């Protein structure tokens, strides 16, 4: 077959174009080995500046575990957004949290990225669910740890000789404020509680006394006599009876702590509404003095005020069966 000169030139141009395409990508399109365009660099987000403040806001909050007994507004699914709203509103620097199981801790960490959490590995179904949370742009952890409220505090174990098999523990950390270099110790705890009338009540009283002794012994070893320190949590022990009289057990147990530290509720201005207790039982029962079982103790700090936070959030009247409590202290002018 004979081709015209014009046709030959067209065919030669086509072959040349395909040959060039083979080098670049192939005539038929991209091959698996085709290089992809280089991605555009993603600009790095600026590191937030360290938080600066001349005060410290210390919170203790029993957030209530997940249980099928809590329905409606009492359920964790109903309460959890309100708890996040409360923390964002109150802006505590340090939070000692109690009763948080693994799913609850995961949610809190996801929803509050400004905070980091110190937790005890493996705790969940059998108790021991204490955590410390702190503002990551304000503090660094120098050292941290935990111990069990038991005769073998460095081994996972149930609390002393109580009737149930629940684990109770304490978590602690030495923090350093980034801007000033100030170091202090925070310790969060949850003392044993008698949940079944069939259990011997005296065993729980003894366990709470030993828990107080253990916490103070460990705190003195960590903080020494001069470092600012805080011990807070649900101690399941009140100073008073339901009638407002001195509770001998409470005076003895909490007195162990108060012998070395100050109690925030009585040492500084208390903004708590009259008659309000820390345990609210979702509004069930009377708010008698024996329901004041959540406490904050401090040492080597200038206390400003204490508050029991009763505000509703997200239209949830009770965000837990305990109210959060918070102490504000003024920081000394210590520089790096």
């Amino acid at each position: 077959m004979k081709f015209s000169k014009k046709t030959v030139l067209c065919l030669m141009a086509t072959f040349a174009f395909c040959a060039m395409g083979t080098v670049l990508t192939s005539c038929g399109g991209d091959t698996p080995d085709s290089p992809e365009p280089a991605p555009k660099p993603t600009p790095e987000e600026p590191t937030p500046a360290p938080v600066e403040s001349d005060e410290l806001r210390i919170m203790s909050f029993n957030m209530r575990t997940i249980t099928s007994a809590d329905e409606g507004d009492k359920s964790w699914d109903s309460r959890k957004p309100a708890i996040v709203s409360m923390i964002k509103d109150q802006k505590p620097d340090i939070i000692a949290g109690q009763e948080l199981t693994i799913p609850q801790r995961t949610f809190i960490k996801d929803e509050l990225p400004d905070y980091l959490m110190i937790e005890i590995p493996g705790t969940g179904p059998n108790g021991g669910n204490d955590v410390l949370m702190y503002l990551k742009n304000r503090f660094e952890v120098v050292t941290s740890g935990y111990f069990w409220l038991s005769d073998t505090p460095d081994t996972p174990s149930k609390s002393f000789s109580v009737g149930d098999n629940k684990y109770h523990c304490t978590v602690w950390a030495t923090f350093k404020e980034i801007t000033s270099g100030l170091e202090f110790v925070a310790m969060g705890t949850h003392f044993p509680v008698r949940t079944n009338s069939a259990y011997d009540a005296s065993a729980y009283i003894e366990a709470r006394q030993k828990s107080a002794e253990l916490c103070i012994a460990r705190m003195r070893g960590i903080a020494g006599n001069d470092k600012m320190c805080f011990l807070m949590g649900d101690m399941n022990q009140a100073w008073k009876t339901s009638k407002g009289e001195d509770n001998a057990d409470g005076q003895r147990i909490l007195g162990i702590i108060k012998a070395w530290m100050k109690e925030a509720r009585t040492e500084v201005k208390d903004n708590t509404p009259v008659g309000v207790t820390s345990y609210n039982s979702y509004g069930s029962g009377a708010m008698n003095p024996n329901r004041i079982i959540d406490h904050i103790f401090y040492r080597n700090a200038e206390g400003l005020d204490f508050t029991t936070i009763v505000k509703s959030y997200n239209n949830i009247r009770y965000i837990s069966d305990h109210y959060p409590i918070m102490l504000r202290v003024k920081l000394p002018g210590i520089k790096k």
Side-chain angles (χ1 to χ4, degrees):
M1 181 183 294
K2 297 182 68 176
F3 298 99
S4 67
K5 184 176 181 181
K6 182 176 181 180
T7 300
V8 170
L9 290 174
C10 286
L11 288 171
M12 291 175 65
T14 300
F15 292 148
F17 178 78
C18 285
M20 182 181 298
T22 301
V23 173
L24 297 177
T25 59
S26 86
C27 287
D30 290 344
T31 68
D33 295 326
S34 300
E36 295 183 3
K40 294 181 180 179
T42 302
E44 293 185 3
E45 294 184 6
T47 302
V51 175
E52 295 189 53
S53 176
D54 62 355
E55 69 177 44
L56 195 60
R57 299 163 72 87
I58 301 288
M59 175 179 284
S60 180
F61 185 23
N62 184 327
M63 302 186 201
R64 175 72 169 174
T65 192
I66 300 175
T67 170
S68 59
D70 290 347
E71 300 177 340
D73 285 353
K74 299 178 184 178
S75 70
W76 171 246
D77 284 340
S78 296
R79 296 186 297 108
K80 63 186 183 182
I83 288 175
V84 169
S85 295
M86 183 278 294
I87 293 172
K88 288 181 177 180
D89 177 51
Q90 296 294 328
K91 299 179 176 62
D93 295 294
I94 304 291
I95 307 169
Q98 300 93 48
E99 293 198 10
L100 289 170
T101 58
I102 293 173
Q104 292 173 292
R105 300 198 296 261
T106 300
F107 174 82
I108 292 292
K109 287 184 286 187
D110 289 345
E111 294 299 314
L112 293 169
D114 289 342
Y115 291 85
L116 293 178
M117 182 182 289
I118 302 171
E119 53 190 316
I120 304 175
T123 56
N126 207 36
N129 306 324
D130 293 271
V131 303
L132 281 177
M133 298 170 59
Y134 62 97
L135 283 173
K136 65 183 183 182
N137 292 332
R138 187 174 185 191
F139 307 105
E140 296 174 345
V141 175
V142 178
T143 184
S144 65
Y146 53 87
F147 54 90
W148 308 93
L149 300 179
S150 76
D151 290 318
T152 54
D154 298 313
T155 303
S157 46
K158 80 168 195 172
S159 295
F160 304 103
S161 300
V162 299
D164 64 79
N165 291 316
K166 292 291 183 183
Y167 291 4
H168 287 268
C169 65
T170 298
V171 60
W172 62 270
T174 299
F175 294 102
K176 181 172 75 173
E177 190 187 31
I178 295 171
T179 57
S180 69
L182 172 69
E183 291 188 9
F184 63 93
V185 179
M187 184 176 280
T189 191
H190 190 183
F191 288 3
V193 59
R194 178 174 173 245
T195 57
N196 189 321
S197 59
Y199 298 145
D200 178 18
S202 64
Y204 287 86
I205 297 297
E206 181 183 18
R208 289 195 283 273
Q209 179 173 331
K210 289 183 176 180
S211 296
E213 292 169 345
L214 179 58
C215 285
I216 288 298
R218 291 291 177 107
M219 179 69 88
R220 295 183 72 161
I222 297 164
N225 287 323
D226 301 325
K227 190 167 287 187
M228 183 167 65
C229 55
F230 305 89
L231 170 59
M232 58 276 197
D234 176 1
M235 298 176 184
N236 279 306
Q237 191 65 63
W239 290 100
K240 303 287 185 179
T241 67
S242 60
K243 296 179 180 180
E245 301 167 344
D246 284 351
N247 179 339
D249 294 328
Q251 297 289 324
R252 184 175 69 256
I253 293 166
L254 298 175
I256 293 168
I257 304 172
K258 195 171 182 179
W260 195 71
M261 307 183 79
K262 295 179 179 179
E263 191 200 16
R265 192 179 274 105
T266 57
E267 289 288 335
V268 300
K269 179 185 177 183
D270 187 356
N271 298 318
T272 303
V274 175
V276 170
T277 63
S278 65
Y279 175 64
N280 61 56
S281 191
Y282 292 125
S284 173
M287 286 194 178
N288 294 322
N290 64 338
R291 285 186 166 190
I292 301 176
I293 59 177
D294 301 271
H295 305 279
I296 298 177
F297 292 86
Y298 67 100
R299 180 181 170 89
N300 297 325
E302 180 184 347
L304 296 175
D305 58 25
F306 174 89
T307 305
T308 303
I309 299 162
V310 300
K311 182 178 176 181
S312 300
Y313 288 90
N314 296 37
N315 296 316
I316 300 294
R317 177 67 187 87
Y318 299 102
I319 62 176
S320 174
D321 59 345
H322 291 243
Y323 288 124
I325 57 175
M326 187 159 67
L327 166 69
R328 289 193 312 130
V329 302
K330 184 174 178 59
L331 292 182
I334 299 178
K335 303 298 181 183
K336 288 185 178 179

